Every structure is written in structure tokens, then in C-alpha cells.
Amino acid sequence: MSNKIAVLPGDGIGTEIVDQAVKVLKALGTPFEMEFADVGGVAYANHGHPLPESTLKLAREADAVLFGAVGDFKYDKLERHLRPEQAILGLRKALGLFANLRPAKCFAQLTGASTLRPEVIAGLDILIVRELTGDIYFGTPRGRRTAVDGHFPGTPEAFDTMRYSVPEVERIARVAFEAARKRNNKVTSVDKANVLETSQLWRDVVTRIGREEYPDVTLEHMYVDNAAMQLVRAPKALDVVLTGNIFGDILSDEASMLTGSIGMLASASMNDKKQGLFEPSHGSAPDIAGKNIANPLATILSAAMMLRYSFDMNEEADAIEKAVEKVLAAGIRTGDIMSEGCRKVSCSEMGDAVVAAL
Ligand code: IPM
Ligand code: MN
């Protein structure tokens, strides 16, 4: 097995947090071949494109991509196709990473770090399964034109297209049902079938796959507005949450707050060849970049997901997750999850602590 990892730190805090995950991977003693490349704003600055051909080639050839974060205020004025975010969208599309797994788990030691009451989130363990290569993110046609109908004909308008095909929904539904079988045998599929044609197709397909292939898994459907409410009202009633690209984007940020900090939320984006891109769910936080104060745990936990999903190294993945728990139990905290009586550490000290616990 080649065990090749493309390491793409990106912008803002990307470099600091990815450094910590690399440190943890190296501490395992398994020989990974790691190759670094620019992505996002820094790639635009150095190569004129957020996803240079050389970076894409490296990512295609690797078994897994370890990704930091992209984006910075200074690139906000660029044309859309040159913005840092296009790098992550381009990688998802080019590698066919249709299945995004975002576990929201509340570590026992962090129940006090959330803005929600401890009893609402203690023991929380949700898996969001977000479809990642379809929906309004990639649907065509899209663009600008002069309106010919609608409320204001003759005026400039913009439009995007929400669309899903049957096979696209089938394959992501199977990912969610399979995951549910390894957990508590329950899937909540989230859509807006009371309004959207796309969502009605989504609901029909998920229902059929559930009935025909996974009769042992309990399936419920929920409208996305209600799901947003249930996530803060009674999140522990949810287990596997299956949803589309745009709803999953929004709900996963909301779910991150149940874990104490978005700095804790890992993410895996997989294709059907077990190739994956692993990144924290948070962004590049340019306001705190270079200060060595970011929380690297989401990235370290993403590296654990990489071991589990792309390299079948379950023991090593468990070991990293246990090490993180141990560090939290020892009262070691970055600023975002700091609470009274704990010891505040820097980003790199947090990485060192996880390595020591390993
Ligand atoms: C995420 C991010 C991305 C998305 C952006 C950076 C394009 O918010 O991974 O959730 O919307 O998918
Ligand atoms: Mn997002």
C-alpha cells in the first residue's frame, strides 16, 4: 500500500493547524509519504490560480488529502472563479467527493463550553451525511441575465439551479444507511419536500432505498426548518442526519456549536474509491492567523478520520481520538474551549499534548 497523503494547508490558520495534524501522524510511526502543495489564496498569490494544475495532480494521485482551510479578506474582491473557495469546490468536483461525513460529538469535558445548556448536549453524538457534489452548489444553468418574467421584468437578475438526479440521491442515501447500521440504526433525512421539487425526488428515492435495501434501519423525514429547530431543542433525538449540499452546509455549522466549538468538528469527504479529503469544518480564521492560538483538534480529528476511512487503520484512528479525550480530560484547552480551572495552551502546545498522550 502506498499511503500517499497530499498535504494542502491553504490560508489563514491552515498552516498552523495542519502542522499539528502532521506531527500527530508522524508520531504514529507509520511511514506515510507526505507531499505539500499550495491551495487557495496562497496558491493564487504564488501560481495565479487557487487550485493550480500541479496541486490537482498531486491530489488525484494521493490516497488522501489533508486539507487546512482556504480564504482571506484580501481575496474577496477577486472574480468568483479565482476566489480561494473555488479550490475546495474544484477538489470536491474533480475527485468526485460526493459523501461528506461530519460527526458532531460532544466530548464529556466540553459540555460547559457550548452556549447551550449542558443537559441538552451531554453525550451528544450525531453524524451528518451531506451530499457534496450536487445541488444548488453545482447545478446549471446559473448566472446573470435580464429578467424576462417574474416580479420585475427587464431588470438584472441572478439565478442558480437546485438539482439532483436519482443515482446521486441513491448513492448518498446508501452511505447514510450503511453508517446507521454501524451506529444506532436510525436515519433522519432532511429536505424541503413541502416546497421543492428536488426535495420531493430526494424523499421518494431515500424512502425507496430504505424500504428495498435497509428495512432494518429506521427512517424518518424532517423538513429542514424543523431540523434547524430540533438541532438546538433536542439534538440527542438525532443520530445519522442525511441531507443535501446546501442544507448540510448550514446544518453542520449549527451542529458544530453543540460540541462546544467549531474548532472541534472534523470532516471527511469521500468518493467511491475510498479516496478522501479530510479537513476541519471550520474556515481559515484570518483574524487569528499566525498567532498560534487556533484550535488544531478538528484537524487532528480529521486526520483520524483519514486513517479510518482511507487507510483502514482503525486502531490508529481510535488511538488519536482517545489521545484527544485524554488531553481534554487533563484540562488542556485552546482559547475557544477554555473554561475555569483549565490550562490554556497554544495551537502547537495542543499538538504536542496530543502527541504526548498518544
Ligand atoms: C464548508 C464550507 C464550504 C462549503 C465553502 C468554503 C465553499 O463552508 O466546507 O462547509 O460551503 O461547502
Ligand atoms: Mn460550510
Side-chain angles (χ1 to χ4, degrees):
M1 195 155 105
S2 61
N3 287 3
K4 181 159 177 180
I5 305 173
V7 185
L8 313 181
D11 305 316
I13 58 171
T15 310
E16 305 155 48
I17 54 176
V18 165
D19 277 352
Q20 307 318 310
V22 167
K23 204 150 82 180
V24 170
L25 286 172
K26 286 192 172 149
L28 288 173
T30 316
F32 289 107
E33 191 192 322
M34 298 196 211
E35 205 173 314
F36 287 70
D38 286 343
V39 76
V42 63
Y44 172 75
N46 293 339
H47 313 271
H49 196 278
L51 182 58
E53 207 39 61
S54 52
T55 300
L56 185 57
K57 182 166 180 283
L58 175 68
R60 281 190 205 277
E61 287 167 4
D63 301 294
V65 177
L66 181 61
F67 192 94
V70 291
D72 198 331
F73 315 121
K74 56 183 182 220
Y75 304 112
D76 281 353
K77 293 215 166 56
L78 288 173
E79 282 175 62
R80 182 171 302 284
H81 75 282
L82 293 175
R83 285 204 208 151
E85 291 79 8
Q86 292 305 312
I88 184 69
L89 295 172
L91 280 166
R92 288 173 184 169
K93 189 170 184 183
L95 302 183
L97 306 171
F98 70 92
N100 184 213
L101 309 177
R102 295 190 163 176
K105 204 172 151 180
C106 183
F107 286 88
Q109 299 82 8
L110 294 187
T111 45
S114 171
T115 50
L116 280 103
R117 284 207 307 270
E119 65 268 28
V120 176
I121 54 163
L124 177 92
D125 187 353
I126 296 178
L127 177 67
I128 297 184
V129 177
R130 169 190 175 195
E131 200 288 331
L132 203 58
T133 51
D135 204 349
I136 197 164
Y137 271 62
F138 292 96
T140 51
R142 57 183 282 163
R144 290 183 181 238
R145 64 187 169 195
T146 300
V148 293
D149 51 14
H151 296 294
F152 295 98
T155 61
E157 68 172 8
F159 59 101
D160 298 275
T161 304
M162 180 177 268
R163 59 191 277 188
Y164 268 121
S165 63
V166 169
E168 268 179 306
V169 181
E170 286 174 344
R171 65 179 180 177
I172 193 68
R174 290 191 183 104
V175 170
F177 283 117
E178 292 291 336
R181 276 188 176 160
K182 294 190 184 136
R183 295 168 55 99
N184 298 306
N185 271 302
K186 188 184 156 197
V187 170
T188 303
S189 176
V190 172
D191 62 38
K192 189 72 184 172
N194 48 347
V195 177
L196 302 173
E197 209 56 55
T198 326
S199 280
Q200 188 58 57
L201 177 125
W202 176 280
R203 190 175 281 219
D204 294 347
V205 173
V206 172
T207 303
R208 173 172 55 78
I209 295 291
R211 188 183 57 233
E212 289 175 0
E213 300 176 30
Y214 301 91
D216 52 311
V217 179
T218 305
L219 171 65
E220 66 175 18
H221 300 279
M222 203 181 269
Y223 295 136
V224 63
D225 48 350
N226 184 25
M229 180 173 74
Q230 298 307 329
L231 265 178
V232 286
R233 194 188 74 88
K236 282 188 267 183
L238 299 165
D239 196 307
V240 173
V241 175
L242 163 65
T243 191
N245 206 345
I246 186 74
F247 298 153
D249 178 45
I250 299 164
L251 293 179
S252 61
D253 262 37
E254 189 187 2
S256 76
M257 275 298 116
L258 309 174
T259 70
S261 165
I262 195 165
M264 298 300 301
L265 207 73
S267 151
S269 307
M270 308 297 301
N271 65 18
D272 49 12
K273 298 188 284 282
K274 270 174 56 176
Q275 210 182 7
L277 182 147
F278 303 86
E279 59 172 333
S281 293
H282 59 72
S284 56
D287 51 324
I288 60 163
K291 296 188 179 157
N292 195 22
I293 59 172
N295 182 351
L297 291 178
T299 317
I300 291 171
L301 291 168
S302 300
M305 290 187 90
M306 173 170 88
L307 299 178
R308 195 182 302 286
Y309 293 114
S310 278
F311 295 118
D312 282 324
M313 294 169 66
N314 286 311
E315 268 172 47
E316 289 83 349
D318 286 344
I320 293 177
E321 286 163 6
K322 292 227 171 67
V324 169
E325 272 176 49
K326 212 164 149 186
V327 165
L328 293 174
I332 298 170
R333 303 278 191 278
T334 42
D336 59 315
I337 49 174
M338 184 61 191
S339 56
E340 236 181 81
C342 292
R343 184 158 72 85
K344 192 164 164 180
V345 298
S346 66
C347 177
S348 56
E349 284 168 336
M350 182 57 101
D352 293 338
V354 175
V355 169
L358 257 183

